[in-house]
């Protein structure tokens, strides 16, 4: 039985085309001899030069550590190459988008250039030209309703021109990129002093006129007739109301023209009060009315000067902020 098992073993090994080398050739004779069941395997040397069949899997070969490191380096370099290609493609797309956006912004900016001349021209035509060159004799025919409506019409023309000018200024002040938001909010102190100046400019002439009509202020004599007082002060009150409404809207919409709005209206208000001083002689206004008009002119000249000081201060503040943002963090923190 042992010899039959050995023979089957040798047959199975022969199917794998092994080669045997025997140190002792007499061992083969012992295999052929019946009854020889003792086999010393240490005398047997097997040289396995087998060829695997097509159905048998190939042996798994473990790679060395150096080969694994080299493969990792090659794979890492390949990944870096792909990443660099993807990043270069993304950068090219971003550059194309930026160039297209710059071209679009430049076209929009070219369209804004005529506004720099058109806006001031509208303001000059609607506000200053009727007041400076139109003779009052053709507008003011006396202390009557027609003269009052004529003066209010001149101020309405100015209000329309001022609204167009502020819209053009807002368009020029917006950023070049339409996608960028522009939220310009004035500080609380600025709002407070603007409202204070408007309320003061409204209350002082109102109280003086009411006191002269009711007899509370006996020193304000003689009285000014109602129609004459309306001719002198009603356009003034309307302009105050329009300025207040415009400023509140610019604050609510966070428009960048909130700093220019009071300058536009206050400059015209001075001309309006100077026109009132001229008309005071036509309506035979008392001396205290003339002094009140002169006081209002002085008050609004002072307020206009303060507004111009604010414009200068905000311009310097904006330049300081831009300089600080351009500096490195280490320099800006010092």
């Amino acid at each position: 039985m042992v010899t039959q098992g050995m023979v089957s073993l040798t047959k199975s090994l022969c199917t794998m085309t092994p080669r045997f080398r025997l140190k002792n050739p007499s061992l083969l004779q012992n295999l052929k001899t019946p009854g020889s069941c003792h086999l010393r395997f240490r005398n047997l040397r097997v040289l396995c030069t087998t060829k695997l069949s097509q159905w048998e899997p190939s042996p798994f070969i473990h790679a060395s550590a150096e080969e694994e490191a080299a493969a990792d380096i090659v794979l890492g370099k390949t990944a870096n190459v792909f990443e660099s290609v993807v990043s270069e493609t993304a950068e090219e797309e971003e550059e194309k988008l930026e160039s297209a956006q710059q071209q679009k912004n430049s076209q929009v900016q070219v369209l804004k250039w005529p506004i720099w001349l058109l806006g001031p021209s509208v303001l000059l035509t609607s506000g200053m030209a009727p007041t400076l060159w139109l003779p009052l004799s053709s507008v003011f025919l006396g202390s009557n309703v027609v003269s009052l409506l004529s003066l209010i019409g001149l101020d309405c023309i100015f209000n329309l021109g001022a609204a167009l000018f502020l819209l053009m200024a807002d368009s020029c002040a917006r950023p070049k990129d339409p996608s960028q938001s522009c939220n310009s909010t004035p500080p609380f102190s600025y709002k407070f002093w603007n409202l204070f100046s408007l309320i003061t400019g409204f209350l002082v002439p109102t109280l003086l006129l009411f006191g002269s009509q009711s007899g509370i202020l006996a020193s304000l004599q003689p009285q000014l007739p109602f129609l004459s007082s309306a001719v002198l002060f009603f356009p003034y009150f309307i302009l105050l109301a329009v300025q207040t409404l415009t400023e509140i809207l610019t604050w609510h919409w966070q428009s960048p023209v909130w700093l220019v709005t009071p300058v536009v209206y206050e400059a015209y208000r001075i001309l309006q009060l100077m026109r009132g001083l001229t008309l005071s002689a036509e309506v035979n206004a008392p001396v205290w009315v003339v002094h009140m008009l002169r006081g209002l002119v002085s008050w609004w000249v002072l307020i206009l000067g303060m507004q111009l000081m604010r414009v200068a201060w905000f311009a310097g503040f904006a330049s300081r902020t831009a300089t600080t943002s351009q500096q490195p963090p280490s320099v800006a923190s010092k």
Side-chain angles (χ1 to χ4, degrees), residues 259-282:
L259 193 60
V260 186
T261 302
V263 176
V264 173
Y265 284 97
E266 288 164 6
Y268 182 78
R269 183 171 293 111
I270 294 173
L271 292 178
Q272 188 185 52
L273 291 173
M274 295 296 293
R275 183 185 66 191
L277 283 173
T278 304
L279 293 177
S280 63
E282 300 289 338

Side-chain angles (χ1 to χ4, degrees), residues 110-130:
V110 169
L111 294 176
K112 288 183 178 180
W113 287 347
I115 298 178
W116 288 86
L117 181 61
L118 182 61
S121 300
V122 169
L123 190 64
L124 175 65
T125 305
S126 61
M128 304 305 171

Side-chain angles (χ1 to χ4, degrees), residues 127-145:
M128 304 305 171
T131 304
L132 296 178
W133 283 283
L134 187 65
L136 289 178
S137 59
S138 61
V139 177
F140 186 77
L141 302 176
S143 303
N144 50 33
V145 178

